[in-house]
Amino acid sequence: MLYKWVNYGKGWKPRWFILQDGVLSYYKISGPDKILVSQETEKGCKVIGEKSRRIISGHRDSFSNNSLTNRKPFGEVHLEVSTFRQSKSHDKRFSIFTGTKMLHLRAESQDDREAWMEALQAVKDMFHRVFHSKVVAPMMDKVAISTEKLRQRLVQEGLDSATIEDSEQIMRNEFATLQKQLVLLKQKQWLLIDILQQLEVSKG
């Protein structure tokens, strides 16, 4: 859990932050849009902060099938394109700049802030290594796709040129979406490989 600065009227508000796959998502833990957190919902996650652990323990019996499926983040930060820095005037605060907005955050303690900064930097470093590797780089190039056979088939069916062009564009859009999904899956795969390699190095 971290405190997020909202505005001068509302001040600092507690938010539940989850760092996964290079995305820092945050949720409300109070009010009508709050989410429930428990040992079941956060299983397998590294929990930072004593207060976060108390919140999880306090909701031990509140888990339901909807606790995970209905989770929609109140906001997201993609670390790939973000920068972050610690406050020099306050030992619990740090900020994240996304390129379009600035998030001001406050931890419960200086140790918690250090733990968050280490986690954010570790993910940022992994993305840097993966995205600049020779293995992933070729996948980022666009693959050419031909719609000639589709056009010929539609011409045989007697369709007008406007309908044919729309069909070709739909095919291109679907292919582009699929390509993006494949690239993301490949990036996740290499992130996992990188994590395993780092674990092996630390064990050695």
Side-chain angles (χ1 to χ4, degrees):
M1 188 206 76
L2 292 168
Y3 292 93
K4 177 181 176 293
W5 175 259
V6 181
N7 53 47
Y8 284 102
K10 296 182 179 180
W12 296 93
K13 293 295 182 181
R15 297 287 185 263
W16 192 259
F17 283 79
I18 297 178
L19 178 57
Q20 186 176 26
D21 295 333
V23 179
L24 183 66
S25 306
Y26 55 93
Y27 306 79
K28 289 186 175 182
I29 53 177
S30 61
D33 298 322
K34 70 178 181 180
I35 64 166
L36 295 177
V37 293
S38 66
Q39 293 179 348
E40 289 294 329
T41 61
E42 311 310 308
K43 183 181 295 184
C45 297
K46 176 184 177 182
V47 180
I48 297 177
E50 184 59 35
K51 187 165 186 177
S52 298
R53 285 186 280 271
R54 289 200 302 269
I55 292 175
I56 291 176
S57 299
H59 294 89
R60 185 174 303 174
D61 300 325
S62 60
F63 177 74
S64 67
N65 292 331
N66 294 328
S67 297
L68 292 174
T69 56
N70 290 338
R71 278 187 163 188
K72 293 183 179 180
F74 197 70
E76 292 182 340
V77 175
H78 293 262
L79 296 185
E80 176 193 358
V81 294
S82 300
T83 57
F84 35 86
R85 67 171 182 266
Q86 302 182 54
S87 170
K88 295 181 179 179
S89 59
H90 197 290
D91 60 4
K92 300 177 184 178
R93 297 180 186 176
F94 63 99
S95 57
I96 302 177
F97 181 60
T98 67
T100 58
K101 63 180 180 180
M102 181 78 77
L103 270 71
H104 297 283
L105 305 173
R106 190 188 75 205
E108 278 289 318
S109 66
Q110 185 176 4
D111 289 341
D112 289 353
R113 184 183 73 168
E114 292 299 325
W116 272 108
M117 293 298 295
E118 289 177 3
L120 294 172
Q121 189 61 53
V123 172
K124 183 82 172 178
D125 290 344
M126 281 192 294
F127 266 95
H128 180 78
R129 288 193 297 271
V130 171
F131 291 159
H132 291 80
S133 68
K134 295 181 180 179
V135 179
V136 178
M139 291 194 62
M140 304 303 289
D141 297 333
K142 291 186 177 180
V143 179
I145 178 174
S146 173
T147 60
E148 184 60 30
K149 290 184 179 180
L150 174 64
R151 171 176 284 274
Q152 292 176 359
R153 185 70 179 88
L154 295 178
V155 169
Q156 291 175 2
E157 293 294 327
L159 297 179
D160 59 88
S161 59
T163 302
I164 293 175
E165 290 177 1
D166 287 343
S167 300
E168 289 179 311
Q169 189 58 48
I170 291 173
M171 181 177 176
R172 294 190 190 98
N173 292 341
E174 290 296 321
F175 180 81
T177 300
L178 177 61
Q179 185 183 16
K180 290 179 181 178
Q181 292 174 348
L182 290 174
V183 170
L184 287 174
L185 288 173
K186 193 64 178 179
Q187 290 170 353
K188 287 184 178 181
Q189 177 188 2
W190 282 100
L191 278 174
L192 290 173
I193 293 175
D194 189 84
I195 292 173
L196 291 174
Q197 290 175 339
Q198 295 298 318
L199 289 174
E200 289 297 325
V201 170
S202 62
K203 288 180 180 178

